[in-house]
Structure formats: structure tokens, C-alpha cells
Amino acid sequence: GAVVSQHPSRVICKSGTSVKIECRSLDFQATTMFWYRQFPKQSLMLMATSNEGSKATYEQGVEKDKFLINHASLTLSTLTVTSAHPEDSSFYICSARDPQSRTEAFFGQGTRLTVV
Amino acid sequence: GIQVEQSPPDLILQEGANSTLRCNFSDSVNNLQWFHQNPWGQLINLFYIPSGTKQNGRLSATTVATERYSLLYISSSQTTDSGVYFCAVRSRSDKLIFGTGTRLQVFP
């Protein structure tokens, strides 16, 4: 299957700082990537759809000024958590779809963010 | 929006036992995938199965799209099968929506 790499896998930051998470498709070009958030013992919730060369589409209730998404190339999307607060602590995971591979989605390793 | 419910929410098995996990969805979908989330959070693709039956080793899955459900079968379970199993469906709006998950614990 297609390979999606996410970095960093774990990050601890202070309240008020910003954190950038990278999502790369390693062996295919992804015009669309997806960002999810997962709280402990809960399911994955879609935050936003990242489109190469255009603005991201955010799900209802997700603050676009808080979670900045940039998809500047066909292999890289970034999620920046701005002015992070403890309630932003969560597991963030990205997904990309290989257009050559039907509509199957592949996921990065995830990033565990802890805001102290 | 589309609702995806999984059952049971929790499952405890002894090594060697078989199990069936169920995924119900509330609307027509374009595809369905099963994932295993390991203790480190990594999502492992198990099956891409919009319809029909597939098998991969001790695992198999069946999707009956017309009746809006899918089943994941685990035979001869092992401790390494522990984790959370998610089904996810792709809606008409092209979003992948995850189910509520089944947390499986397999004891030796």
C-alpha cells in the first residue's frame, strides 16, 4: 500500500506556542489530504480536508484560525496548532489517498501533542 | 450526516477464540475500510471492502452494502490482535467517516 509519513510522532509544548505537524505522501502524489483528531478512548474525528493549491475545507466546529492547514505541494500538507492550550492536547493523524489506488485511504503514524 | 456504529464496544477474549465485529452505517457509501489501531496509535489497513467478502490469513471481512453493514471475523485470536478496530466509510461527500470502534483485548 501507499506510504504516508507524519512528523513529529510526539511533541510537548508550552501553552501559547505554536506547533507544526507535517504529513507527507512518500510514493505517490496526493491532491487531497485529511486531518483527524482523536481524544483518548474515542474515535477519529475529521477536522479538515487539505487541498493542494487551494484553501482547506474545515468541518463544523473546527476553528480555521486555530488549526492552520497548508498544502503547498502534491506530497506535503502541514497542520499548525496556533497558540496551543492544554485542551488542544490530543492525537492528530493525517490521511492521504492515492488516486491510482481506488479510493483506499492510508494514514500517517500520528502525532501525540501535549500542551503544558 | 452519515452515522457509523460498531458493536460490541468492548470485547475480551482468551487466546485461540474466534470473534465477529460488526459495523452498521446509516446511508449508502462508496467504500468501506477496516483498520486496526495498535497501542501506539498507528492505523493499520486491514481491508478495503465496499462489497463482498475478502480473507487475509486469520482475518476475513464481509460487506453487504444493500443492508448497510459489514462484519470483521477474527479467528484463532492472538495477543497481538489486541487494540481498537475501526470501520470507516466514504460518504457521498467523499469524506471518510469512522465508526465508534471496538476495543479488543486478547489474554494468553
Side-chain angles (χ1 to χ4, degrees):
Chain A
V3 180
V4 178
S5 178
Q6 191 171 336
H7 178 80
S9 58
R10 186 182 297 268
V11 59
I12 300 173
C13 71
K14 292 184 177 180
S15 287
T17 62
S18 296
V19 174
K20 180 184 286 188
I21 303 169
E22 293 186 348
C23 179
R24 295 181 184 272
S25 56
L26 297 187
D27 52 0
F28 65 98
Q29 294 183 330
T31 55
T32 304
M33 293 185 178
F34 304 87
W35 287 96
Y36 291 81
R37 181 174 184 175
Q38 185 181 30
F39 289 109
K41 298 189 185 301
Q42 294 188 22
S43 186
L44 283 77
M45 299 302 296
L46 180 64
M47 297 175 65
T49 302
S50 170
N51 303 295
E52 188 269 336
S54 65
K55 291 183 178 180
T57 304
Y58 291 82
E59 294 301 299
Q60 191 173 8
V62 178
E63 299 175 60
K64 61 180 181 181
D65 295 330
K66 174 76 170 175
F67 300 100
L68 299 180
I69 292 174
N70 184 279
H71 194 156
S73 78
L74 287 171
T75 59
L76 174 64
S77 175
T78 60
L79 168 68
T80 301
V81 183
T82 63
S83 187
H85 291 283
E87 56 266 31
D88 298 324
S89 298
S90 187
F91 187 68
Y92 294 87
I93 190 165
C94 69
S95 167
R97 205 169 71 209
D98 181 358
Q100 304 300 321
S101 177
R102 303 161 298 185
T103 58
E104 187 172 1
F106 295 89
F107 285 79
Q109 305 94 319
T111 297
R112 193 163 302 280
L113 171 64
T114 303
V115 184
V116 297
Chain B
I2 192 168
Q3 304 296 316
V4 186
E5 298 287 335
Q6 291 183 241
S7 61
D10 294 280
L11 188 56
I12 300 174
L13 299 175
Q14 192 160 24
E15 216 168 18
N18 303 327
S19 61
T20 300
L21 283 59
R22 187 177 180 101
C23 172
N24 291 331
F25 41 97
S26 61
D27 201 354
S28 301
V29 297
N30 293 328
N31 74 39
L32 185 144
Q33 291 182 244
W34 281 97
F35 298 91
H36 175 213
Q37 187 171 39
N38 66 24
W40 297 271
Q42 176 80 49
L43 280 172
I44 311 299
N45 289 43
L46 297 178
F47 292 102
Y48 168 83
I49 185 165
S51 64
T53 297
K54 290 185 178 179
Q55 180 158 6
N56 184 4
R58 297 183 295 104
L59 302 182
S60 64
T62 295
T63 296
V64 184
T66 53
E67 297 187 21
R68 299 180 184 171
Y69 74 89
S70 183
L71 303 174
L72 177 69
Y73 306 96
I74 304 174
S75 64
S76 303
S77 57
Q78 300 176 359
T79 56
T80 51
D81 294 333
S82 297
V84 184
Y85 289 81
F86 289 105
C87 65
V89 302
R90 190 169 300 282
S91 67
R92 295 177 192 173
S93 59
D94 206 34
K95 298 175 183 178
L96 195 65
I97 307 299
F98 278 77
T100 48
T102 292
R103 185 172 302 274
L104 173 64
Q105 297 179 72
V106 181
F107 290 96

